[in-house]
């Protein structure tokens, strides 16, 4: 708990260990805000990420939109991160933190594989991620779905930025997760085939991409089984190519409302602003 | 159990400002001692505000074959503490070549929970059996105050069943009577508390070890509460249809 100890003891900036955060710019930022400077706009990866375990393995998927306020900053952002050949992590949260955490996991697991001579396990990735994120008390904004197959079987874990972890049969994260989780809760069942699982993940992602304006554009899938890992993407659903037709008419037809009473009020024009 | 709401954490440590936000331990944990062991009961809901982030959470974390801890408060904090204390207990038992007593385990929990009380939000019930003192329960609420109890309840759902537990407890309970009381208490708490729900897990820890039973609401055995038939007054034009 190096970060916690540093705060507790109020050590000087130069004495803080290199892996703790330095918050000394916060006073400067407060002063700037009081002077009227607008704070910088943060790049958010409003996201839908979904993962599902099925009979033989795991199917994981994510959309590919990165937003900066109301603008789409990146239409094809890669949210399914490689950890090892049979372990992948879908990430939601702060883009920079996700890239660094997943790169760190990938390198730690590769070194472990080389040192032990064994294939890395999903639970190991989970432990490393959880202990790293807990140490930073949630300030490293990484919300991951870590899934994969190792010699002990297929696994799916959900990791939050504050260090909470849960083992799940299906999971969704990100701003579009509210829509995606409803599809998963309804249609997930035990013993699905790869086609069913893949379709379920795509349906859940479609729900997220429809219902969340920060998710969309295209989706990426990865199917992990004991024998092989297949990366499928980018898949562009139909509704991302052309908008779906609007079936209802929002205008009222004339004569739809019965007129009960009419009252005419005459106004005198005192001053008019005609631009010639 | 609540996951911490990160949006509220706008701490400015440089100014010494560390906001103490309202912490809700949305959960129900019931534990009771009987002659020969302990019975623990939990719900399975983890909420983040009004969103249920997990409806099948396991709040009973096994530490050893004869020791489990019931967790409430911030899930991250309690998971991390449980992992760290488990490591210490395993190391001590290997070094000393004998199992660690439940009292000592509760003290290891207390030392962490008290030392880091300002940074953590964790409330636990340490439950186990050892040969020295038999079945034991140690309640450690937020802050780190540790006491041994015969019957204890923790979490937001506990307040609704304190009266029931007070009435139901008596000395020399058998295991089955104890299970019935704990199970009914979880059912009553879940009925009234919005932050508790899902499935009911009942654990029995005694000399033979730990056995956990899962009760689903859609299967028999779940502690249902008989809903009284409501009085509904219809408007005249509906009633006469």
């Amino acid at each position: 708990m190096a970060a916690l100890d540093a705060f507790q003891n109020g050590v000087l900036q130069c004495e803080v260990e290199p892996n703790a955060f330095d918050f000394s710019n916060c006073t400067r930022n407060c002063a700037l805000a009081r002077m009227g400077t607008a704070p910088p706009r943060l790049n958010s990866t409003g996201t839908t990420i979904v993962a599902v375990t099925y009979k033989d393995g795991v199917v994981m998927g994510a959309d590919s939109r990165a937003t900066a306020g109301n603008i789409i900053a990146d239409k094809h952002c890669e949210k399914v991160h490689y950890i090892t050949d049979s372990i992948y992590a879908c990430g939601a949260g702060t883009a920079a933190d996700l890239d660094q955490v997943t790169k760190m996991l990938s390198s730690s697991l590769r070194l472990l594989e080389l040192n032990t001579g064994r294939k890395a396990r999903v639970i190991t990735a989970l432990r490393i991620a959880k202990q790293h994120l807990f140490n930073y008390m949630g300030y490293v904004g990484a919300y991951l779905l870590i899934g994969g197959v190792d010699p002990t079987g297929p696994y799916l874990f959900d990791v939050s930025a504050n260090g909470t972890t849960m083992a799940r049969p299906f999971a969704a994260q990100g701003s579009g997760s509210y829509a995606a989780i409803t599809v998963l809760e309804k249609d997930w069942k035990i013993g699905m085939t790869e086609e069913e699982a893949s379709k379920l993940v795509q349906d859940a992602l479609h729900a997220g991409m429809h219902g969340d304006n920060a998710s969309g554009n295209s989706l990426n899938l990865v199917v992990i089984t004991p024998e092989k890992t297949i990366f499928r993407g980018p898949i562009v659903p139909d509704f991302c190519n052309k908008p779906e037709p609007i079936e209802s008419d929002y205008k009222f037809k004339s004569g739809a409302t019965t007129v009960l009473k009419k009252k005419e009020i005459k106004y005198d024009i005192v001053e008019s602003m005609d631009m010639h | 159990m609540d996951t911490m709401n990160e949006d509220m954490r706008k701490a400015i440590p440089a100014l010494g400002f560390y906001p103490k936000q309202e912490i809700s331990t949305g959960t129900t944990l019931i534990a009771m001692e009987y002659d020969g062991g302990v019975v623990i009961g939990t719900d399975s809901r983890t909420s983040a505000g009004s969103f249920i982030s997990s409806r099948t959470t396991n709040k009973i974390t096994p530490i050893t074959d004869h020791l489990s801890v019931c967790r409430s408060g911030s899930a991250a904090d309690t998971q991390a503490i449980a992992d760290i204390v488990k490591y210490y207990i395993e190391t001590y038992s290997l070094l000393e070549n004998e199992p660690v007593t439940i009292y000592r385990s509760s003290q290891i929990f207390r030392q962490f929970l008290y030392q880091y009380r300002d940074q953590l939000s964790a409330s636990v019930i340490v439950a186990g059996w050892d040969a020295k003192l038999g079945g034991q329960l140690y309640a450690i609420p937020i802050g780190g105050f540790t006491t041994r109890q015969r019957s204890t309840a923790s979490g937001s759902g506990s307040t609704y069943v304190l009266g029931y537990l007070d009435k139901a407890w008596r000395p020399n309970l058998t295991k089955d009577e104890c299970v019935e009381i704990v199970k009914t208490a979880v059912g009553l708490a879940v009925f009234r508390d919005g932050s508790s729900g899902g499935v009911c897990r009942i654990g029995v820890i005694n000399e033979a070890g730990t056995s956990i039973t899962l009760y689903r609401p859609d299967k028999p055995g779940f502690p249902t509460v008989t809903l009284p038939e409501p009085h509904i007054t219809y408007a005249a034009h509906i009633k006469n249809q």
Side-chain angles (χ1 to χ4, degrees), chain A residues 102-246:
Chain A
T102 49
K103 283 200 179 97
M104 182 269 289
L105 282 176
S106 183
S107 63
S108 303
L109 286 176
R110 182 68 190 128
L111 285 170
L112 204 61
E113 281 185 340
L114 289 166
N115 275 322
T116 60
R118 294 188 179 128
K119 282 235 146 297
R121 300 188 180 187
V122 190
I123 192 80
T124 315
L126 183 75
R127 270 278 150 152
I128 298 171
K130 157 215 276 273
Q131 288 175 350
H132 176 85
L133 293 172
F134 181 75
N135 261 334
Y136 287 94
M137 303 189 300
Y139 286 107
V140 172
Y143 295 83
L144 299 165
L145 293 180
I146 303 179
V149 179
D150 61 36
T152 55
Y155 293 95
L156 172 61
F157 297 109
D158 176 352
V159 191
S160 285
N162 49 26
T164 312
T165 59
M166 299 216 212
R168 291 191 198 268
F170 56 85
Q173 277 280 19
S175 51
S177 67
Y178 296 105
I181 199 72
T182 51
V183 175
L184 294 175
E185 285 278 10
K186 184 160 183 300
D187 293 330
W188 186 89
K189 49 189 201 292
I190 296 177
M192 287 192 294
T193 63
E194 187 191 306
E195 292 74 42
E196 290 173 327
S198 194
K199 178 163 192 311
L200 180 61
V201 168
Q202 291 191 58
D203 285 344
L205 285 170
H206 290 176
M209 287 154 81
H210 265 118
D212 179 32
N213 60 2
S215 305
N217 287 111
S218 66
L219 56 97
N220 293 307
L221 282 184
V222 66
V223 181
I224 311 173
T225 53
E227 301 84 39
K228 59 190 185 328
T229 303
I230 306 170
F231 193 93
R232 261 191 247 134
I235 300 170
V236 185
D238 285 334
F239 63 86
C240 292
N241 268 327
K242 51 186 199 301
E244 288 164 332
I246 301 170

Side-chain angles (χ1 to χ4, degrees), chain B residues 6-149:
Chain B
E6 281 79 30
D7 298 324
M8 301 210 285
R9 273 182 178 274
K10 297 237 187 297
I12 310 174
L15 295 175
F17 173 62
Y18 213 86
K20 275 265 180 291
Q21 59 273 56
E22 188 200 299
I23 289 148
S24 156
T25 54
T27 196
T28 301
L29 306 173
I30 317 279
M32 200 175 265
E33 187 188 291
Y34 72 93
D35 185 25
V38 292
V39 177
I40 47 182
T42 64
D43 72 313
S44 71
R45 183 171 289 185
T46 305
S47 39
S50 60
F51 178 68
I52 299 172
S53 50
S54 171
R55 56 182 173 83
T56 50
T57 324
N58 192 351
K59 302 180 187 179
I60 306 175
T61 304
I63 307 286
T64 70
D65 286 339
H66 291 93
L67 172 67
S68 289
V69 59
C70 302
R71 307 180 288 110
S72 73
S74 156
D77 293 344
T78 50
Q79 281 184 354
I81 296 286
D83 286 342
I84 294 168
V85 175
K86 181 174 180 184
Y87 162 77
Y88 272 91
I89 293 174
E90 280 173 357
T91 308
Y92 291 152
S93 65
L94 280 169
L95 288 170
E96 295 155 21
N97 202 25
E98 66 172 12
V100 177
T101 60
I102 310 300
Y103 172 72
R104 189 170 166 207
S105 308
S106 74
Q107 291 300 308
I108 300 170
F109 267 104
R110 183 186 68 86
Q111 277 170 350
F112 275 104
L113 291 171
Y114 181 73
Q115 189 181 1
Y116 293 103
R117 58 184 292 171
D118 291 330
Q119 289 92 334
L120 297 172
S121 153
S123 162
V124 297
I125 300 177
V126 179
W129 180 94
D130 62 30
K132 191 166 168 210
L133 290 171
Q136 293 149 75
L137 287 177
Y138 295 92
I140 313 179
I142 291 177
F145 173 54
T146 309
T147 44
R148 187 179 171 189
Q149 304 282 354

Side-chain angles (χ1 to χ4, degrees), chain A residues 12-86:
Chain A
L12 292 172
Q13 182 182 335
C14 50
E15 290 174 67
V16 163
E17 285 175 41
N19 65 345
F21 281 153
D22 175 16
F23 286 98
S24 57
N25 277 336
C26 291
T27 19
R28 178 206 70 174
N29 293 345
C30 289
L32 282 171
R34 259 181 279 121
M35 287 198 292
T37 320
R41 253 212 310 230
L42 298 163
N43 223 22
S44 149
T45 51
T47 294
T48 310
I49 52 177
V50 165
V52 144
T53 60
Y54 69 99
K55 198 167 46 143
D56 304 319
V58 183
V59 181
M60 307 174 70
D63 76 304
S64 66
R65 180 180 289 182
T67 51
N70 278 335
I71 303 166
I72 297 174
D74 189 355
K75 285 191 286 191
H76 295 293
C77 151
E78 189 56 73
K79 300 184 194 181
V80 182
H81 304 274
Y82 169 91
I83 307 288
T84 72
D85 285 335
S86 1

